[in-house]
Amino acid sequence: MKIVSIVGARPQFIKCAPVSRELRKEHDEILVHTGQHYDHGMSEVFFEELGIPKPDYNLGIGSGTHGHQTGAMLGAIEDVLEEEEPDVVLVYGDTNSTLAGALAAAKLHIPVAHVEAGLRSFDRRMPEEVNRVLTDHCSDLLFCPTETAVANLAAEGITEGVFLVGDVMLDAMEYNRAIAEERSRILEDVGARPGEYLVVTVHRPSNTDSRENMTAILGALGEAGMPAVFPVHPRTRRYLGEYGLLAGMPENVRVTEPLGYLDMIRLMAHAAKILTDSGGVQKEAYMLGVPCITLRENTEWVETVEAGWNVLVGAERGEIFRAIWSFAPEGEQRPCFGDGTASSKVAQILSEYY
Ligand code: UD1
Ligand code: UDP
């Protein structure tokens, strides 16, 4: 079977690594990189570290407004699909690359398989929510990471072709956890002592595009009473520069470039707490057993909140400050992201289906 897999943004490289490894045992995979992310630290580093095959096509689309970026991808992906004539197109997650891939395939009557289907924040102001809903509604096979995702699809009338496989990010984590411990020197590089620092990531437009939110987040971090390591996404760096906040960073906040996956995993694994608005980082905090403070009003990963290991604080300075000082989850964590075999299930279901 010939599969065209479409990736373009950082979390998609991580998700595709374990799936691609499984697919290539039996199938012919053509990997398409839309070029949505293009800096070395946002793209190539993941191919190198995770052993992802070199993309067969790099469409070089780059940055742009939603319409321009998604539109440019749509046309370029259509050309690839006409050339390759695959049996199925595989898309991941909820970025503009996901939607463009799904839409291009659906219009050419090529079956679409969506990894990480069924997630909902119920917040249509998030660009990802629009991408998820539309992608799910033009997908033929929907690979869900959680039971909640299956229920979300059922509530929208999607019950055919839905499979609960678990989360491919858990597969990636399990494969790389020991490797990260062995190879990464990030704690030494940033001078962090295990259990005595915070990790922070922020890149959602709801935070980055608001001077008030970024000021509140950095204000609370400045009063954290311990070091905070902050690998800054390029989008966030741009806005922090505009707001003049990079220059006035609190002393205990250690800003770094975006990290590679192995450094990120090791850094998170030994953190006291993680503060983030990232979807992937919320899940990884849970997988690593590190308390997560989510800088959003809602989340798609409700299981982590219900289990008591994630708390939603938005971008209110007092709430963030209180969570940093007092959020202390306890007790067992229910495994809610599957058993680390999601990727092989995806490959197996694709083989059976076609
Ligand atoms: C995108 C996804 C988001 C995902 C995130 C993962 C959409 C709508 N958003 O958000 O769901 O969580 O990726 O990180 O698809 N930039 C660079 N270098 C790069 C990439 C981006 O400088 O390699 C800068 C550009 O100024 C660009 C901005 O970051 O305009 C935003 O990039 P873009 O890919 O549009 O969205 P993200 O915020 O990265
Ligand atoms: N990540 C990384 N380096 C960083 C920040 C994040 O490797 O500097 C990884 C993180 O561990 C997770 C993924 O990128 O695996 C999450 O991607 P991101 O936060 O960009 O997007 P989201 O998950 O919110 O879509």
Side-chain angles (χ1 to χ4, degrees):
M1 178 170 55
K2 189 181 202 180
I3 301 161
V4 165
S5 300
I6 294 170
V7 294
R10 173 166 70 186
Q12 294 168 328
F13 310 137
I14 295 159
K15 289 166 198 173
C16 95
V19 179
S20 182
R21 202 163 34 240
E22 291 298 328
L23 290 180
R24 285 172 190 239
K25 289 181 183 167
E26 273 189 64
H27 304 292
D28 182 12
E29 186 191 38
I30 305 291
L31 190 59
V32 178
H33 185 333
T34 62
Q36 178 170 349
H37 287 174
Y38 44 85
D39 292 346
H40 181 271
M42 293 295 290
S43 173
E44 233 170 282
V45 67
F46 299 98
F47 286 79
E48 293 161 5
E49 286 188 346
L50 299 172
I52 306 165
K54 194 173 150 41
D56 298 277
Y57 295 85
N58 190 324
L59 307 179
I61 303 297
S63 305
T65 59
H66 287 281
H68 282 285
Q69 189 184 52
T70 313
M73 288 175 189
L74 190 59
I77 294 171
E78 184 177 71
D79 291 344
V80 173
L81 298 182
E82 281 184 327
E83 172 78 23
E84 294 290 344
E85 299 184 344
D87 299 298
V88 60
V89 168
L90 192 60
V91 296
Y92 291 89
D94 53 20
T95 73
N96 288 345
S97 298
T98 316
L99 177 61
L103 202 49
K107 296 271 186 164
L108 292 173
H109 308 147
I110 302 169
V112 178
H114 184 202
V115 174
E116 211 174 78
L119 275 299
R120 297 289 182 269
S121 65
F122 303 100
D123 175 3
R124 285 285 173 104
R125 289 187 55 80
M126 280 182 81
E128 294 81 6
E129 184 76 352
V130 177
N131 292 342
R132 291 179 194 122
V133 172
L134 295 176
T135 300
D136 285 338
H137 282 262
C138 56
S139 291
D140 299 272
L141 289 180
L142 300 102
F143 296 116
C144 296
T146 60
E147 286 165 18
T148 308
V150 175
N152 288 338
L153 290 175
E156 292 173 20
I158 304 177
T159 51
E160 298 262 312
V162 175
F163 298 90
L164 177 61
V165 294
D167 199 309
V168 299
M169 286 187 95
L170 178 59
D171 305 13
M173 167 76 80
E174 289 191 347
Y175 190 88
N176 288 291
R177 180 74 184 84
I179 300 174
E181 216 49 62
E182 195 186 303
R183 294 199 198 150
S184 165
R185 299 269 65 84
I186 186 68
L187 268 68
E188 296 74 7
D189 291 350
V190 298
R193 285 205 298 265
E196 295 179 17
Y197 63 93
L198 306 171
V199 175
V200 189
T201 83
V202 182
H203 74 276
R204 293 255 102 80
S206 59
N207 284 325
T208 57
D209 303 12
S210 157
R211 178 193 295 268
E212 197 186 334
N213 284 14
M214 292 312 299
T215 304
I217 292 168
L218 292 177
L221 284 177
E223 298 165 340
M226 68 170 98
V229 185
F230 183 10
V232 180
H233 188 289
R235 166 191 199 91
T236 315
R237 184 173 286 276
R238 179 156 60 90
Y239 281 101
L240 287 176
E242 270 176 34
Y243 303 150
L245 292 171
L246 269 180
M249 199 55 70
E251 255 177 50
N252 63 321
V253 179
R254 173 76 195 265
V255 166
T256 76
E257 290 299 313
L259 299 177
Y261 182 68
L262 299 179
D263 279 344
M264 190 64 187
I265 292 294
R266 180 156 182 255
L267 188 67
M268 287 192 293
H270 298 284
K273 284 173 194 169
I274 295 172
L275 292 95
T276 192
D277 59 14
S278 155
V281 172
Q282 287 176 65
K283 288 190 276 184
E284 288 169 343
Y286 188 84
M287 293 170 196
L288 292 164
V290 178
C292 186
I293 299 167
T294 294
L295 306 166
R296 287 175 49 187
E297 306 287 347
N298 52 48
T299 181
E300 305 78 44
W301 307 104
V302 288
E303 293 81 2
T304 60
V305 175
E306 285 161 9
W309 281 78
N310 186 4
V311 62
L312 303 176
V313 295
E316 208 276 312
R317 182 171 173 157
E319 290 279 319
I320 303 170
F321 174 81
R322 269 189 292 282
I324 291 174
W325 283 91
S326 63
F327 180 51
E330 286 175 356
E332 281 282 298
Q333 286 179 305
R334 185 174 82 83
C336 48
F337 296 112
D339 60 4
T341 61
S343 309
S344 62
K345 290 192 181 107
V346 167
Q348 191 191 333
I349 293 164
L350 279 169
S351 303
E352 285 165 12
Y353 195 78
Y354 296 104

